Amino acid sequence: MTESSEWLIYRGAGEPHDGMSRLPPPPPWRDFSARGAETAQEADGDGSRDRRLGAHRHLAELHRPGAEELEMINAALYLRRPLLVTGSPGAGKSTLAHSVAYELGLGEVLRWSIVSRSALQDGLYHYDAIARLQDVQIAAQGGYGSAAGSPGSVEAIGGYIRLGPLGTALLPSDTPRVLLIDELDKSDIDLPNDLLNVLEEGEFEIPELRRLADRLPGGEAEVLTADGTKVRVRDGRVRCTSFPFVVLTSNGERDFPAPLMRRCIHLELGRPDHNRLATFVRAHLGDEAARAGDDLIARFLERSRSELLATDQLLNALYLTDAAAPPSRERLADLLIQRLDRPR
């Protein structure tokens, strides 16, 4: 093997080898090992906070958001209004929600990642009617019938309901939860309008529980939350007592209806400057990586003036050129940082 190919793990030689033993640890933002921790004290949930804020976020403490960014975030907090954050990919829109939750001690961020098929129901709750029907049939075959508390019975209906991220965020609480509705611009045309009433009133109804409320003990049913915990819902209605801090993000792929815009505080994240990019790199890769990659940061900034680039691309390039130390550092960085607004 030549010197220029020593960093390669997969060689394309068609022969088995132990190259995986030389693979370095993953980048911090792609490290999912925290999911294997045995207790919540050993990991922050599934590690999403570290992936978003950076494993070295303590090194970025000197960075402060711009005045407009701070004002819009605090306006949303004061007014109990959703914060609509727009900007180019990798501008830090999703990270903002994790940053607010971390600084204000608001717990794990509830995340609802939007796709073209997402509907309001997905964010509120899911009722597994098929599982309940199967349990009723199994109970009947086993001679349990519809005894109180038996699988499929009225009293057990809560076991077939799981709240979504939005539904969990609207549960009564002393302090607000942080909800990230990510990439809302990818939704179909109806979802932004469907969100209006829930975001305005801070409540929603679960019809499956509502119509059985008078047959439930105390009118309550125990359901599962998006966090995996169990809570009691009374009279089939979820009503917040502290409106959640809702962050809706958009890459600007579409416009939103005026009624939604009226209910949101709008923050546009502009192109980051050199200092902000360096802080971003320090938070994820450490101070030494930021210093060693200063030239790549400068080249990234220069290109971003005329090309659509994402900061994730810069992180990928800095990590790989440091961890693998390939001889053609600049060439590899250019291959990884390709403009997003025009196909190759």
Side-chain angles (χ1 to χ4, degrees):
M1 181 181 297
T2 65
E3 180 181 355
S4 61
S5 61
E6 285 183 355
W7 71 281
L8 300 177
I9 302 297
Y10 168 70
R11 305 170 187 172
E15 297 179 359
H17 57 81
D18 62 351
M20 283 300 294
S21 63
R22 297 188 293 110
L23 189 67
W29 58 94
R30 296 298 298 168
D31 186 357
F32 299 95
S33 60
R35 291 177 174 175
E38 295 182 358
T39 67
Q41 287 74 27
E42 293 174 3
D44 100 56
D46 62 355
S48 60
R49 181 185 295 163
D50 274 350
R51 291 200 303 274
R52 288 289 177 179
L53 295 180
H56 301 273
R57 58 178 175 264
H58 59 284
L59 296 175
E61 290 177 349
L62 296 177
H63 171 71
R64 296 292 181 270
E68 180 180 346
E69 185 176 337
L70 280 175
E71 289 167 354
M72 292 299 97
I73 293 171
N74 281 280
L77 285 168
Y78 271 84
L79 297 172
R80 276 70 169 179
R81 288 290 187 183
L83 181 68
L84 174 60
V85 186
T86 56
S88 59
K93 301 183 294 297
S94 301
T95 301
L96 187 150
H98 290 266
S99 178
V100 171
Y102 176 69
E103 181 173 324
L104 299 183
L106 299 179
E108 292 300 312
V109 173
L110 295 162
R111 183 174 183 176
W112 183 15
S113 297
I114 302 299
V115 298
S116 59
R117 301 179 304 279
S118 296
L120 178 62
Q121 182 82 10
D122 301 324
L124 294 178
Y125 74 96
H126 173 68
Y127 170 57
D128 195 342
I130 295 178
R132 187 184 179 201
L133 176 61
Q134 291 174 337
D135 285 347
V136 168
Q137 294 172 338
I138 293 173
Q141 293 171 359
Y144 299 107
S146 57
S150 64
S153 66
V154 170
E155 294 79 7
I157 189 173
Y160 304 96
I161 294 175
R162 178 165 187 155
L163 300 180
L166 176 55
T168 301
L170 292 174
L171 286 169
S173 60
D174 294 332
T175 56
R177 293 295 302 268
V178 175
L179 170 65
L180 172 63
I181 303 180
D182 207 14
E183 299 190 335
L184 183 60
D185 51 335
K186 286 183 168 53
S187 71
D188 70 13
I189 194 171
D190 294 322
L191 183 57
N193 283 315
D194 293 343
L195 285 168
L196 296 179
N197 186 65
V198 175
L199 293 180
E200 185 67 23
E201 302 300 330
E203 65 177 22
F204 69 97
E205 186 178 281
I206 303 177
E208 292 84 358
L209 296 182
R210 184 72 170 174
R211 60 174 170 260
L212 297 175
D214 59 344
R215 300 171 59 186
L216 294 170
E220 294 183 336
E222 191 175 63
V223 304
L224 199 63
T225 70
D227 294 318
T229 60
K230 292 184 177 181
V231 297
R232 304 195 71 83
V233 174
R234 185 178 181 83
D235 296 329
R237 185 175 294 275
V238 175
R239 294 176 171 175
C240 72
T241 52
S242 295
F243 190 78
F245 181 68
V246 182
V247 178
L248 306 100
T249 72
S250 169
N251 292 327
E253 295 181 3
R254 60 178 285 194
D255 294 327
F256 295 117
L260 178 67
M261 299 298 294
R262 178 172 66 82
R263 288 167 170 82
C264 295
I265 304 299
H266 184 200
L267 170 63
E268 173 74 26
L269 289 184
R271 185 165 54 87
D273 57 17
H274 192 284
N275 181 62
R276 184 160 187 163
L277 276 179
T279 301
F280 187 68
V281 172
R282 280 197 297 273
H284 285 277
L285 295 174
D287 197 44
E288 184 176 346
R291 286 195 300 269
D294 190 70
D295 59 327
L296 292 184
I297 295 175
R299 289 179 61 191
F300 179 89
L301 272 176
E302 180 64 30
R303 288 183 56 189
S304 66
R305 292 191 176 95
S306 58
E307 303 174 20
L308 179 60
L309 304 174
T311 49
D312 309 68
Q313 296 172 299
L314 175 63
L315 282 179
N316 290 337
L318 288 171
Y319 170 81
L320 187 57
T321 55
D322 176 66
S328 52
R329 178 172 178 268
E330 289 75 15
R331 184 181 66 83
L332 184 59
D334 287 339
L335 287 174
L336 292 173
I337 306 176
Q338 302 207 15
R339 63 186 306 168
L340 306 175
D341 53 349
R342 188 178 66 191
R344 294 183 61 187

